[in-house]
Amino acid sequence: MTSEHMIGRLVVRTVIWLAITAALLFIPAGTLDWPEAWVFLAESGGLGLASGIAIGRSDPALLRERMGSPIQRGQKSWDKLLLLGLLFLWLSQYVVAGLDAVRFRTSDMPLWLEVAGALAIAAGLYVFHAVMLANSFAAPVVKVQTERKHQVVSTGPYALVRHPMYAGAIPLTVGTALLLGFFYISYIAGPAQAARQAASVKRYAGAPWMLRADWAARKVVDSSSLAVMVFLWVWSAGWCGVCAFLWSVNRDKILAAMHESWGDTFLIALMPLAGLIGLVAAIKATRTWLLFGRSVLTIDTLPGYLGESFRGRVAARLAIIPTQALEAKIACERRTWRRVRDSDGHWTKEWRIVPVWSMMHEIEPERLMRTKDGVVIPIDVPLPAGQPPCALDEEGAVILWSLHVRADVPGGSRYTAHFEVPVYRR
C-alpha cells in the first residue's frame, strides 16, 4: 500500500470518526447550535488529520501501524479489555456533555476556561504528534514488532517521561471537559453548590439581589472586550498555524493545484485570507482593550426599584473626555428557551431574547469626573413602574435588566460597556 493510498484512507476514516463524534454530541444535545462542539470537532479533526498526513509522509510504516485495528491477533487479553473500556468511556463523555452542557444546562463554563480547554486539547495533540515523530513503533496496541526490528526509544519526549503519550492524554482529557462543558465536575460540585445556594436564599429572604456576588458587593465588571480579544487571537493563531502546517507538508501539491485551476487557486487563497482577516480583527480588538480595558459599575441604589431611579457610577479608562453627549440605555428583556422545528423537521431548542422595554438617556460631557485612571460616568436613570422586575416569570422565562453605556471618543474609537443591574419592585 502506497503512502498516498494510506493518507486517502486516513482522510476517509477521519471523516467517519468525526461524523460518529458529531452524532454522539449533537443528538443528546438536541440542537446543532453548540459552538463549543463545532470548535472541538474542527480542532481535533483538523489537527489530528494534519498530524497523520505528516506522519504518513515521513514514516509510512508507522501510519500503517496506527491505522490498524485496536483489537489484533496475539494481543494480550488485558490490553483488549483496557482498550474497549477506554473507548467506551471516551465515547460516553460526548453523550454526557451534550446532556449536561446543552440539553439540561446543569453546567455553565466561562469563556476563558473554554479557551483554556481548546489550548489544552491542542497541547495534548501536539504531544501525541511529538511521540510519533520520536517513536516509529508507537502502535495502538501493546506488542513487540519484531518484523520491524523493534527497539527502545529514549529520545524526544521519551527523554523526559517514560510514557509521554499517556502524559499527553491528560491535557487532552481535561481540555475536552473544559471546552465541552465541565461535565466531570458538575455532579461533584453540584450538591455542594446547591447547599450553599439554599443557605444564601434562607439568609437573604426578601433580598434576592444579594444572591449575586457582584450585586451584593455593589460592583459589576464588564470585561467583554477582553473575552473577544482572547477568542480572536486563539482562533486566528490556530487557523494560521494549521495553514502553515498544511503548506509545509503539501507545498508541491498545493502549487501544482494552483497552476492547474483558477478555481482551486481561489479556494486555496481563501484559507490564508480567512486567517488574515482574523488577525486584523484580533489586532483591532486588542487596540480596543488597550484603549479602554475593563469598566466597573459601582451601584449606589441597591437595588433599583421600579417607579424610582437607578443610580451608580461607571469607572471607564477614557484618556480623552468625549466632546459629544454619552448614551446610557436602560433595558429590560425576557430570555427563554423554546422548542422549535428546524428545516428538516427535527425538534431543537433555541435561546430566545425578547426586548420588553428600553429608554435612552444622554449624559453631557460636563458631568464626567476626571480621575488618575480615566473618568467616572455618573448614572441616574428613571425606572418605569409598570415593567416586570428581575425574576423568573410565570412561564419560567428570565427577566433581566441591563445598562448599556456608549460614547464616541475623539480619534475614531467607540467606547461601549454593558452591565446587568438589579431592578426589583418594593
Side-chain angles (χ1 to χ4, degrees):
M1 185 184 301
T2 66
S3 174
E4 298 299 329
H5 187 198
M6 285 192 299
I7 290 176
R9 287 184 56 191
L10 173 66
V11 172
V12 172
R13 288 182 55 167
T14 301
V15 172
I16 294 174
W17 178 255
L18 288 177
I20 294 173
T21 305
L24 294 174
L25 286 168
F26 292 117
I27 291 177
T31 178
L32 295 176
D33 186 14
W34 187 7
E36 293 84 354
W38 289 111
V39 171
F40 173 77
L41 291 172
E43 182 179 26
S44 58
L47 294 180
L49 183 60
S51 174
I53 292 174
I55 294 299
R57 296 191 181 282
S58 62
D59 193 346
L62 174 59
L63 180 60
R64 187 180 297 108
E65 284 289 342
R66 297 296 303 177
M67 292 180 63
S69 171
I71 304 300
Q72 299 181 10
R73 181 179 302 177
Q75 184 180 359
K76 299 291 185 180
S77 298
W78 64 265
D79 191 39
K80 294 180 181 179
L81 294 175
L82 177 63
L83 285 176
L84 290 175
L86 291 176
L87 180 62
F88 174 78
L89 291 175
W90 187 259
L91 295 179
S92 298
Q93 70 178 338
Y94 301 141
V95 177
V96 177
L99 295 173
D100 183 39
V102 181
R103 183 178 290 273
F104 301 123
R105 301 190 67 82
T106 48
S107 294
D108 186 16
M109 178 64 60
L111 177 61
W112 70 271
L113 275 179
E114 292 180 349
V115 172
L119 294 176
I121 291 174
L125 294 176
Y126 174 77
V127 172
F128 286 179
H129 183 69
V131 167
M132 288 184 285
L133 287 178
N135 183 7
S136 181
F137 308 100
V141 301
V142 177
K143 66 177 183 178
V144 178
Q145 303 171 49
T146 54
E147 71 282 359
R148 298 181 57 209
K149 300 180 180 180
H150 198 148
Q151 55 184 302
V152 175
V153 178
S154 58
T155 58
Y158 288 89
L160 303 175
V161 61
R162 186 66 193 92
H163 298 290
M165 189 167 286
Y166 297 155
I170 296 175
L172 179 62
T173 304
V174 174
T176 300
L178 293 176
L179 178 58
L180 293 180
F182 219 38
F183 46 88
Y184 292 141
I185 305 301
S186 62
Y187 299 107
I188 299 173
Q193 176 64 25
R196 289 193 296 269
Q197 185 75 6
S200 297
V201 170
K202 183 178 180 180
R203 179 181 179 185
Y204 297 114
W209 53 87
M210 297 298 291
L211 299 179
R212 271 190 57 161
D214 54 350
W215 288 355
R218 294 177 177 264
K219 289 189 180 296
V220 184
V221 178
D222 173 46
S223 299
S224 56
S225 59
L226 175 62
V228 172
M229 180 190 72
V230 172
F231 172 79
L232 287 174
W233 276 115
V234 171
W235 182 89
S236 56
W239 185 271
C240 292
V242 170
C243 290
F245 181 81
L246 292 176
W247 172 261
S248 66
V249 299
N250 293 297
R251 180 173 56 188
D252 295 338
K253 287 192 172 182
I254 292 174
L255 291 175
M258 292 175 67
H259 281 97
E260 291 176 0
S261 169
W262 282 104
D264 290 342
T265 302
F266 175 74
L267 293 175
I268 292 171
L270 283 179
M271 293 192 65
L273 180 61
L276 180 61
I277 293 174
L279 286 174
V280 172
I283 293 172
K284 185 176 180 180
T286 303
R287 180 177 178 272
T288 300
W289 170 252
L290 293 176
L291 280 176
F292 305 126
R294 69 175 191 170
S295 300
V296 180
L297 168 66
T298 301
I299 301 174
D300 293 334
T301 54
L302 185 65
Y305 287 111
L306 293 168
E308 302 179 16
S309 294
F310 178 83
R311 294 186 297 274
R313 292 155 288 148
V314 175
R317 197 171 69 189
L318 298 179
I320 304 175
I321 293 182
T323 57
Q324 300 179 358
L326 290 76
E327 296 176 349
K329 184 178 78 170
I330 189 77
C332 175
E333 61 187 23
R334 186 173 183 267
R335 300 182 182 181
T336 183
W337 283 99
R338 67 172 185 172
R339 290 175 58 84
V340 296
R341 286 186 181 273
D342 59 20
S343 58
D344 297 326
H346 302 298
W347 284 103
T348 183
K349 282 186 176 182
E350 68 176 16
W351 186 249
R352 186 184 182 191
I353 300 177
V354 179
V356 177
W357 177 91
S358 66
M359 180 171 288
M360 187 75 69
H361 301 271
E362 289 190 348
I363 304 173
E364 296 300 326
E366 294 77 15
R367 296 183 57 197
L368 274 59
M369 296 170 284
R370 170 68 67 184
T371 66
K372 65 176 183 179
D373 297 321
V375 299
V376 173
I377 306 170
I379 303 297
D380 189 347
V381 293
L383 300 172
Q387 298 300 330
C390 292
L392 291 176
D393 65 12
E394 64 277 2
E395 297 180 7
V398 178
I399 302 296
L400 287 177
W401 285 78
S402 56
L403 174 69
H404 305 262
V405 181
R406 294 189 287 267
D408 291 321
V409 180
S413 300
R414 186 171 179 84
Y415 167 78
T416 61
H418 168 264
F419 311 93
E420 291 184 358
V421 296
V423 176
Y424 289 85
R425 184 177 290 119
R426 279 193 185 276

